[in-house]
Amino acid sequence: MMKRTLLIAAAVLGFAAPAFAAGETPVPPQLKWSFQGPFGTFDRAQLQRGFKIYREVCSSCHGLSYVTFRNLHQPGGPEFSEAQVRALAAEYKIQDGPNEAGDMFERPGRAADHFPSPFPNENAAASANGGKAPPDLSLMAKARTYERGFPWFITDVFRQYSENGADYVAALLNGYEEAPAGFTVPTGGHYNHYYPGHVIAMPKPLSDGQVEYPKNEAGQPQVPETVEQYARDVTAFLTWTAEPHLEARKRLGFQVILFLIVLSGLLYFTKKKVWARVGGEVEGHATPPMTHNP
């Protein structure tokens, strides 16, 4: 019986393994994130660096339409100060209206405004980008993911791995390279090791030294100004935009688990107290069996 079970398991793994080896898209490497696991939290400095990358690099093509400026100040996120948020919002022009004359107009942004799209409409976005509008990045870290297949998805449940979207985005940003011999990249496309089909329309967005990070007392960047670090930082920021209440959700979940543990204990001892005289023992003496008188 044991031998048969081992043969079946080997056969299943044998069929599953070629799916990763011969598939068109390699599995992204798993990275270490501060927000992973049941007690993980966002790194505030990393979120602020990630926002800087989005603003200086990504925002020229990609929107962030589900995020308001004031979200950047709220707990659990980058936690910029209120003054920083107001100053940032004022740098944007927001279309509003109509006014009393029935005309639309532009005004400086306010903290309650959503991030404006870099294009007036989807057709304009598609026209400026080779016929396809760049996607909004608000939910990208949740919308883009990959399947790990059997048996890994089982182990992921037990170790609570849910960062496959973040791993994919970071891998994509690091995946630009020269196409291998014999692989033809169509005009307007770019080879990416981790993109499905390996051909992506977006040019390589990041390069070493592209974004200047805050300096320490010695005048050196606090973290490396490399593509790998940029990719990790902006991915962490996009993970927050996709799930801004992640930390609050984890705290609530932990509190619920504690409550359920205490409640289970109370129910157990209540049951012992209430049902002690029914088929149990009372003060160390066995309860006499019930008799039936005809």
Side-chain angles (χ1 to χ4, degrees), residues 16 24 51 81 93 127 149 162 192 225 244 257:
E24 294 186 356
F51 172 70
S81 67
K93 296 297 183 181
S127 176
S162 60
N192 189 288
E225 295 177 347
I257 290 175

Side-chain angles (χ1 to χ4, degrees), residues 18-118:
F20 291 106
E24 294 186 356
T25 307
V27 176
Q30 292 188 25
L31 304 177
K32 296 292 185 181
W33 302 99
S34 65
F35 49 83
Q36 70 184 49
F39 304 104
T41 59
F42 287 115
D43 181 339
R44 302 296 183 266
Q46 184 176 49
L47 292 185
Q48 293 183 11
R49 294 193 304 267
F51 172 70
K52 182 177 177 67
I53 296 170
Y54 165 76
R55 189 183 181 195
E56 295 185 11
V57 180
C58 309
S59 63
S60 60
C61 297
H62 298 276
L64 209 63
S65 59
Y66 291 99
V67 181
T68 65
F69 293 107
R70 64 184 175 190
N71 291 146
L72 300 175
H73 167 66
Q74 294 172 348
E79 296 186 1
F80 289 105
S81 67
E82 291 187 14
Q84 288 176 309
V85 170
R86 287 195 297 268
L88 171 68
E91 296 178 9
Y92 288 80
K93 296 297 183 181
I94 306 297
Q95 189 177 45
D96 203 347
N99 56 19
E100 295 180 355
D103 299 323
M104 303 298 291
F105 61 94
E106 288 188 341
R107 59 167 175 78
R110 296 190 284 259
D113 292 322
H114 287 78
F115 277 83
S117 172

